[in-house]
Amino acid sequence: MKKIITFLIIFILFKSFSQSNNFYDYIVLNNNDTIFGRYQTEYFIDLTGKKIPISKKVVSIKKNGLNYEYKNLTNKEFTSAKNDSLIRIDGNDKLEINKKVNLLNFHKYLFYFHKLKKNMRKDYLITTAKDTIFGEIKTRNIIHKFKFKNKDFKINGRNTIKFRKDGFEYFYRKKRRAYLTDSKYSFLKLILKGKVNLYEYKTTRNTGYTLGEETHYYIERDNKLTLLTKYRFYKIIKEALHENKLLHKKIRNKELNYFDIYMIIKYFNEYTIF
């Protein structure tokens, strides 16, 4: 029995190392070079730790399991009916490029889009009465609330169990507040499903000078939601995902960090013996 268990451990470790690139993001350059690493919005970090700026040389990006391609679109083109299957890499509904381009921040004006598969294009909502309503769901201005486009139905926790927007499911859940004035109940975006689920939660709040957008993450295991915080990140992972020691080592060695949470949960789900 011990020999069988040892063999399984060796096999899984070998498989994880031989297929490790599957867990990383990648970029494809205009010379067809593919570089594996971690996408960080303004730049890409390759497996040696080198930072590569996001520029027009980058023709496509793989982030969190989805492929995004560079497209030169105007705001009107992006929101047109013919492009209703395109989603931005940052999930925003609009391009918002009316400001004069600052060359120092040019990456903010390079837009990468993922084309949804046909069966994922329709947004829908499940009501508390278990009815299904189809229609385009948008975010409401700069705050992260949701509404139906051209429909009177108001999306909130009193009438909605979950909805699908841009191919992702959102669930109304009770959670730990991400900050002091945050709501105890919110819609969380499921970005990875498995033994451990991973949810993304975006907020916009006043930072004193302007409205700032923040992205928070929750992991769910055995129906328990846990908020991940940057400062206690490793401790939380070590306690919540205690089985995979190799994963802990990768975090300790700074191969993976808080911003690589999708890769961490994917690695845990696929290469952990329970």
Side-chain angles (χ1 to χ4, degrees), residues 37-49:
R38 296 135 58 200
Y39 172 72
Q40 302 285 317
T41 305
E42 298 182 9
Y43 49 81
F44 188 85
I45 304 175
D46 71 12
L47 298 182
T48 68

Side-chain angles (χ1 to χ4, degrees), residues 51-233:
K51 291 183 178 180
I52 303 171
I54 300 300
S55 69
K56 284 189 175 181
K57 291 182 179 179
V58 179
V59 296
S60 67
I61 299 171
K62 179 189 174 186
K63 175 194 175 187
N64 294 353
L66 296 180
N67 292 312
Y68 297 84
E69 295 184 356
Y70 171 72
K71 292 183 183 295
N72 186 16
L73 297 178
T74 65
N75 194 62
K76 186 176 181 180
E77 288 171 333
F78 174 51
T79 55
S80 70
K82 70 176 183 178
N83 288 322
D84 64 354
S85 61
L86 295 180
I87 58 172
R88 276 179 60 175
I89 196 167
D90 58 5
N92 288 340
D93 293 327
K94 295 182 179 180
L95 298 188
E96 298 174 352
I97 55 175
N98 296 323
K99 298 178 182 178
K100 186 177 180 180
V101 174
N102 181 344
L103 293 179
L104 295 177
N105 296 313
F106 190 68
H107 64 274
K108 294 181 180 179
Y109 303 91
L110 296 174
F111 299 107
Y112 294 85
F113 301 89
H114 172 72
K115 187 174 181 65
L116 290 170
K117 294 180 180 179
K118 190 174 182 179
N119 63 334
M120 301 295 288
R121 292 177 187 175
K122 283 189 177 181
D123 296 342
Y124 66 82
L125 176 148
I126 306 296
T127 71
T128 51
K130 304 296 177 65
D131 294 325
T132 301
I133 303 175
F134 289 92
E136 186 179 0
I137 298 175
K138 308 291 286 184
T139 50
R140 188 181 303 151
N141 299 324
I142 59 173
I143 60 175
H144 293 282
K145 303 295 182 181
F146 302 94
K147 66 175 183 178
F148 267 121
K149 185 178 180 180
N150 302 324
K151 285 184 183 289
D152 293 332
F153 187 92
K154 293 184 178 181
I155 301 175
N156 56 55
R158 295 185 298 275
N159 58 29
T160 304
I161 297 175
K162 71 171 185 177
F163 62 86
R164 187 175 77 184
K165 168 180 160 34
D166 293 340
F168 289 96
E169 290 185 314
Y170 291 72
F171 295 83
Y172 191 70
R173 301 294 301 277
K174 181 180 180 181
K175 61 177 178 56
R176 178 183 167 187
R177 290 183 174 91
Y179 50 89
L180 188 61
T181 57
D182 184 27
S183 173
K184 187 181 289 187
Y185 293 85
S186 299
F187 285 103
L188 304 182
K189 178 182 178 180
L190 180 64
I191 61 175
L192 183 62
K193 186 175 182 179
K195 182 73 175 180
V196 175
N197 294 328
L198 176 63
Y199 294 89
E200 180 185 88
Y201 173 54
K202 289 189 175 184
T203 60
T204 302
R205 59 173 172 157
N206 196 324
T207 60
Y209 299 96
T210 183
L211 288 176
E213 182 180 271
E214 297 178 332
T215 301
H216 313 274
Y217 297 99
Y218 291 84
I219 57 175
E220 181 181 41
R221 186 174 189 183
D222 300 326
N223 297 317
K224 179 184 177 182
L225 272 179
T226 301
L227 171 66
L228 294 176
T229 59
K230 294 179 185 177
Y231 304 107
R232 297 182 64 249
F233 167 68

Side-chain angles (χ1 to χ4, degrees), residues 9-26:
I9 292 174
I10 293 173
F11 173 76
I12 289 175
L13 290 177
F14 172 78
K15 187 178 179 184
S16 67
F17 281 117
S18 63
Q19 298 184 1
S20 60
N21 282 351
N22 292 338
F23 294 93
Y24 288 102
D25 300 331
Y26 63 71

